[in-house]
């Protein structure tokens, strides 16, 4: 018994010693972050210091060095928080997202920018674009695609009229929960949720609550806020929203697909340099003639550029005219990309680079 106690004491002393070293090194890193601010000059804000390509490069090195036992995701999360706190010493980044507090969009903000950033909850995706354009938010985070339900059309449509630039992407594993005030399934007569979440959970709802009224609202956090005022209402939302609004969890992981993941875009006002593993998003309209889209896409194949995604949406330029949203591998400044863009020639009526940005990290 004495040996075990001595051994445990020794382990704890070693942990305390490591903690002290970690704290000293974090403080030293924060000091060097202040030195960066001094070198760049006074009077600048956090957005002037933030470089997503540099951050992505640092976090990829974290992944490359990781030998466990913590997962890559956990190591990236820890380093992201350190970097977030160092950046925010003078003036934290302001990041707009679809609110209120507790939405999956807020979770995406924290995953990408860390908890030292200032989250700005807004009433709609349109408002996120507007606040970024007006300079009231440094960046915005908006959902663009779900692995089961496809593209989020309102986000795509905003790029048709907004000058926002895509600066990053975030992939968030989405676990849907059913919450209510008293936590009893049998008491629920209606369920509030965002329309996307209702679709993601439609099989579970059909089997477990076949006769309830499903009501679509602006966000899952709004659903939780509504459900806390009625004994017979439930809300589909994440664990965070249920906790924020004081609800009890009735059921967990009610999403129909086990791999339910939502992709978010980080929007800003600037195009950043290459990070070494990037994606480029383009908005292209084509001339109305045979083979026009083929001739737009052909140069990418000829220059070895992978096409990741293509979506069409009605353009605002006229009836029955369409714009194509295209994601390709690489940065717009890469030589193959520049060559491909040049060779599009007259096949494209209009080409707009929505952004070149680091591929999402774990």
């Amino acid at each position: 018994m004495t040996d075990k106690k001595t051994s445990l004491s020794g382990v704890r002393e070693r942990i305390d010693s490591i903690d002290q070293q970690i704290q000293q090194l974090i403080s030293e890193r924060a000091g060097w972050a202040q030195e960066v601010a001094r070198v760049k000059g006074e009077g600048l804000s956090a957005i002037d210091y933030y470089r997503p390509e540099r951050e992505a490069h640092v976090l990829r090195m974290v992944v490359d060095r990781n030998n466990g036992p913590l997962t890559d995701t956990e190591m990236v999360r820890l380093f992201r928080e350190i970097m977030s706190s160092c950046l925010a010493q003078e003036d934290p980044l302001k990041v707009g997202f679809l609110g209120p507090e507790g939405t999956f969009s807020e979770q995406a903000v924290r995953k990408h920018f860390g908890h030292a950033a200032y989250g700005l909850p807004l009433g709609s995706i349109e408002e996120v674009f507007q606040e970024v354009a007006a300079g009231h938010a440094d960046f915005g985070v908006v959902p663009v695609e779900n692995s089961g339900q496809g593209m989020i059309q309102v986000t795509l449509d905003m790029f048709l009229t907004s000058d926002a630039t895509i600066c990053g992407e975030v992939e968030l594993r989405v676990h849907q929960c059913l919450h209510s005030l008293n936590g009893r399934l049998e008491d629920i007569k209606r369920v509030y949720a965002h329309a996307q979440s209702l679709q993601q959970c439609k099989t579970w709802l059909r089997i477990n609550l076949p006769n309830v009224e499903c009501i679509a609202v602006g966000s899952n956090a709004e659903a939780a806020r509504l459900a806390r005022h009625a004994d017979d209402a439930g809300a589909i939302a994440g664990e965070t929203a249920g906790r924020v609004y004081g609800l009890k969890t009735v059921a967990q992981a009610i999403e129909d697909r086990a791999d339910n993941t939502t992709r978010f875009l980080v929007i800003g006002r600037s195009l950043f340099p290459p990070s070494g593993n990037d994606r480029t998003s383009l908005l292209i309209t084509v001339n109305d003639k045979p083979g026009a889209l083929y001739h737009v896409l052909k140069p990418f194949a000829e220059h070895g550029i992978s096409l990741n995604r293509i979506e069409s949406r009605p353009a605002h330029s006229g009836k029955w005219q369409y714009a194509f949203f295209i994601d390709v591998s690489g940065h717009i400044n890469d030589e193959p990309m520049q060559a491909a863009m040049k060779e599009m020639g007259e096949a494209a009526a209009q080409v707009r680079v929505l952004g070149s940005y680091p591929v999402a990290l774990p």
Side-chain angles (χ1 to χ4, degrees):
M1 182 66 70
T2 303
D3 291 342
K4 288 184 179 179
K5 286 184 177 179
T6 303
S7 176
L8 179 58
S9 175
V11 169
R12 287 173 172 168
E13 287 180 4
R14 179 59 179 151
I15 289 174
D16 289 344
S17 175
I18 293 172
D19 287 347
Q20 182 180 3
Q21 295 174 57
I22 291 172
Q23 185 174 352
Q24 289 173 343
L25 290 171
I26 290 174
S27 296
E28 183 178 350
R29 191 192 194 284
W32 282 108
Q34 290 179 331
E35 183 67 11
V36 170
R38 188 193 66 78
V39 171
K40 285 197 170 186
E42 296 182 359
L44 300 179
S45 62
I47 196 172
D48 298 306
Y49 305 121
Y50 179 69
R51 287 294 175 266
E53 76 282 1
R54 166 64 180 165
E55 189 170 278
H57 175 69
V58 170
L59 294 176
R60 286 182 199 132
M61 289 193 294
V62 169
V63 172
D64 291 342
R65 291 192 300 262
N66 187 32
N67 295 315
L70 294 181
T71 65
D72 289 346
T73 299
E74 283 300 310
M75 289 297 288
V76 166
R77 182 180 65 83
L78 291 170
F79 271 82
R80 177 85 74 182
E81 291 296 341
I82 292 171
M83 296 166 73
S84 176
S85 295
C86 289
L87 180 66
Q89 290 179 92
E90 300 296 332
D91 178 30
L93 288 170
K94 303 178 196 64
V95 185
F97 64 92
L98 176 62
E101 183 184 0
T103 60
F104 289 117
S105 292
E106 184 182 25
Q107 291 183 37
V109 169
R110 298 309 170 198
K111 181 176 180 180
H112 191 80
F113 289 99
H115 284 73
Y118 176 77
L120 183 64
L122 299 168
S124 66
I125 289 173
E126 293 90 341
E127 194 173 350
V128 175
F129 277 85
Q130 292 163 5
E131 291 299 286
V132 171
H136 301 150
D138 298 319
F139 295 97
V141 172
V142 292
V144 70
E145 181 181 12
N146 179 264
S147 57
Q149 299 302 313
M151 304 303 292
I152 296 168
Q153 304 300 345
V154 63
T155 298
L156 293 185
D157 288 345
M158 284 303 300
F159 284 109
L160 295 172
T161 56
S162 171
D163 293 329
T165 299
I166 304 173
C167 306
E169 63 176 6
V170 190
E171 290 186 359
L172 186 70
R173 181 71 176 82
V174 173
H175 293 292
Q176 302 281 13
C177 300
L178 180 66
H179 307 285
S180 74
L181 198 58
N182 57 33
R184 292 195 297 267
L185 184 68
E186 60 272 19
D187 292 342
I188 296 175
K189 306 303 180 188
R190 62 187 185 277
V191 173
Y192 297 106
H194 189 276
Q196 281 271 335
S197 294
L198 289 173
Q199 286 296 311
Q200 291 168 24
C201 305
K202 60 183 178 181
T203 300
W204 190 95
L205 289 169
R206 186 177 67 248
I207 294 172
N208 296 277
L209 291 170
N211 299 315
V212 302
E213 180 185 10
C214 294
I215 303 171
V217 294
S219 71
N220 287 343
E222 176 65 17
R225 190 161 63 180
L226 289 169
R228 71 175 175 176
H229 296 299
D231 291 334
D232 62 348
I236 295 176
E239 289 185 15
T240 300
R243 186 167 58 251
V244 167
Y245 294 100
L247 300 177
K248 296 179 180 178
T249 300
V250 180
Q252 294 180 315
I254 66 172
E255 62 272 12
D256 295 338
R257 290 178 55 126
D259 63 347
N260 190 29
T261 301
T262 297
R263 177 177 172 240
F264 295 81
L265 297 178
V266 179
I267 59 171
R269 298 182 293 273
S270 301
L271 182 68
F272 291 93
S275 73
N277 183 21
D278 299 294
R279 193 187 322 278
T280 293
S281 294
L282 305 169
L283 174 59
I284 298 176
T285 56
V286 298
N287 295 311
D288 185 14
K289 61 182 182 180
L293 183 59
Y294 166 78
H295 288 293
V296 165
L297 299 179
K298 182 181 176 183
F300 293 116
E302 291 180 340
H303 288 277
I305 299 170
S306 296
L307 179 68
N308 304 134
R309 186 177 291 99
I310 181 168
E311 291 282 334
S312 65
R313 291 292 295 159
H316 290 180
S317 53
K319 186 170 66 175
W320 311 126
Q321 295 183 351
Y322 291 87
F324 294 90
F325 293 87
I326 299 173
D327 287 352
V328 293
S329 295
H331 193 279
I332 192 63
N333 291 342
D334 296 343
E335 288 186 13
M337 190 79 71
Q338 288 288 311
M341 297 285 286
K342 184 177 180 181
E343 289 175 18
M344 279 187 201
E346 298 180 357
Q350 184 179 11
V351 179
R352 178 185 159 204
V353 179
L354 297 178
S356 286
Y357 46 93
V359 171
L361 286 151

